[in-house]
Amino acid sequence: MEKCKADNLLKITNTVKTEARETILHAVLDSERPMSANELHLMVKNRGIDLATVYRAMKLFTEKGLVRPVHADSGLTFYEKSCEHNPPHAHFICENCGGIECLKPYGFDESAFFIKLGQQKEVSSVELILKGRCSSCAS
Amino acid sequence: MEKCKADNLLKITNTVKTEARETILHAVLDSERPMSANELHLMVKNRGIDLATVYRAMKLFTEKGLVRPVHADSGLTFYEKSCEHNPPHAHFICENCGGIECLKPYGFDESAFFIKLGQQKEVSSVELILKGRCSSCAS
DNA sequence: ACATCTTTGCAAATGATTTGCAAGTATAAA
DNA sequence: TTTATACTTGCAAATCATTTGCAAAGATGT
């Protein structure tokens, strides 16, 4: 729990701590679903943080393993926190409204599955995206 | 086999047949791996076909179910033929060179897997992408 | 062949993301 | 703590993939 505070995460990942980064990381940690750079910017612009800084932070955090990018068909990239409390999982993207949701854990031994898939290659990450209609758009 | 000829596919999908579309569809059918709009354009530009036309064809073919888009982290979209001979499968994208390859079929009952994943939602398609280093880049 | 609807090339517009740059901020050494 | 050096940031302009407006060319039904 404590270990997931923005402040601490920056420290343990050896990332230079700045007000902007701390603020942006907070925004990511507070979000239950993956957020686009634009959405994150909306959350932090009142503190004078530029969109370019959000993008630079996302790039950095991704390299540090603090966030994971999720790529939607629309061309948008969403970012979600990556920590013990939020292990890799599938995502659902609504083809109608573009909304994104995290799906529950797969419920079977997915690691074996991925290893099997990747046995021919040196796999570093997996992205599993389901597309369809979300409940709001279905009604 | 015969059924997979561009000419025929356009007919059975009720798509107005034009020289450009036939040429572009041929390029897709001939490719073993998913191709970007740019790559396809390189293959057909000598026939005076514009990049915009390639994009328009990809959009149309996707709607008709003739091709499937595959979205890479880089922001590029690749397109692959979609027919009985080429059922949905996972893709491998090299983080180093950006190259894309099709992986062998999963080797277990993936439909049950996807149904299980999508049981909470109305799922229309699935995209499974593994990332890492391809054999050329690994050496 | 005719009239109508569709498709295409070209150029300009978009929209997300990136980059150059000068000014502001962090870090380590003195 | 002051200083020198390296990193970060806001801003504006640049990129890059993809889309769109438009007038000309092509396809379809009569």
Side-chain angles (χ1 to χ4, degrees):
Chain A
M1 277 290 155
E2 259 311 293
K3 293 173 89 176
C4 265
K5 294 300 278 295
D7 195 41
N8 232 308
L9 287 171
L10 292 175
K11 200 168 293 168
I12 64 180
T13 54
N14 227 335
T15 307
V16 173
K17 174 182 155 186
T18 67
E19 211 177 313
R21 288 180 183 167
E22 223 180 333
T23 306
I24 296 168
L25 185 51
H26 244 112
V28 175
L29 296 178
D30 284 350
S31 306
E32 265 322 298
R33 61 176 184 77
M35 306 290 273
S36 68
N38 234 320
E39 288 174 315
L40 289 171
H41 182 223
L42 285 177
M43 300 171 74
V44 303
K45 72 193 300 186
N46 60 320
R47 304 237 203 146
I49 296 173
D50 192 78
L51 179 57
T53 302
V54 173
Y55 275 109
R56 286 191 267 237
M58 287 308 102
K59 184 165 191 242
L60 181 66
F61 294 167
T62 300
E63 285 161 1
K64 298 284 185 176
L66 295 174
V67 309
R68 270 188 304 264
V70 184
H71 302 272
D73 287 27
S74 62
L76 264 185
T77 302
F78 295 90
Y79 303 89
E80 67 178 358
K81 58 191 166 196
S82 171
C83 61
E84 324 85 78
H85 304 301
N86 198 38
H89 49 264
H91 292 98
F92 179 86
I93 297 180
C94 179
E95 290 173 328
N96 188 239
C97 68
I100 184 170
E101 300 173 40
C102 300
L103 291 180
K104 304 203 181 77
Y106 311 142
F108 76 101
D109 185 2
E110 73 253 25
S111 59
F113 170 64
F114 293 148
I115 287 169
K116 171 153 196 150
L117 271 172
Q119 63 197 6
Q120 327 155 52
K121 307 279 168 198
E122 196 183 305
V123 174
S124 66
S125 69
V126 174
E127 204 168 277
L128 175 50
I129 293 179
L130 312 204
K131 281 161 278 180
R133 275 181 176 258
C134 68
S135 26
S136 343
C137 288
S139 57
Chain B
M1 276 291 155
E2 259 313 291
K3 293 172 90 175
C4 265
K5 294 299 276 298
D7 196 43
N8 232 311
L9 288 171
L10 293 175
K11 201 168 295 168
I12 64 180
T13 54
N14 225 336
T15 308
V16 173
K17 174 181 155 186
T18 68
E19 212 178 313
R21 287 179 184 167
E22 223 180 333
T23 306
I24 295 169
L25 185 50
H26 243 111
V28 174
L29 296 178
D30 284 350
S31 306
E32 266 322 298
R33 59 177 185 77
M35 307 289 273
S36 68
N38 235 319
E39 289 174 315
L40 289 171
H41 182 224
L42 285 177
M43 300 171 74
V44 303
K45 71 194 299 187
N46 60 320
R47 304 237 203 145
I49 296 173
D50 193 77
L51 179 58
T53 303
V54 173
Y55 275 109
R56 286 191 267 235
M58 288 308 102
K59 184 164 190 243
L60 181 67
F61 293 168
T62 300
E63 285 161 2
K64 298 283 186 177
L66 294 174
V67 309
R68 271 189 302 264
V70 184
H71 302 272
D73 287 27
S74 62
L76 265 185
T77 302
F78 295 90
Y79 302 89
E80 67 179 359
K81 58 191 166 197
S82 170
C83 61
E84 324 85 77
H85 304 302
N86 198 38
H89 49 263
H91 292 97
F92 179 86
I93 297 180
C94 179
E95 291 174 327
N96 189 238
C97 67
I100 184 169
E101 299 172 42
C102 300
L103 292 180
K104 303 203 181 77
Y106 311 142
F108 76 102
D109 185 3
E110 72 254 26
S111 60
F113 170 65
F114 292 148
I115 288 168
K116 171 151 196 152
L117 271 172
Q119 63 196 6
Q120 326 155 52
K121 308 279 167 196
E122 196 183 306
V123 173
S124 67
S125 70
V126 174
E127 203 168 278
L128 175 50
I129 294 178
L130 311 204
K131 281 161 278 181
R133 278 182 173 255
C134 68
S135 26
S136 345
C137 287
S139 56

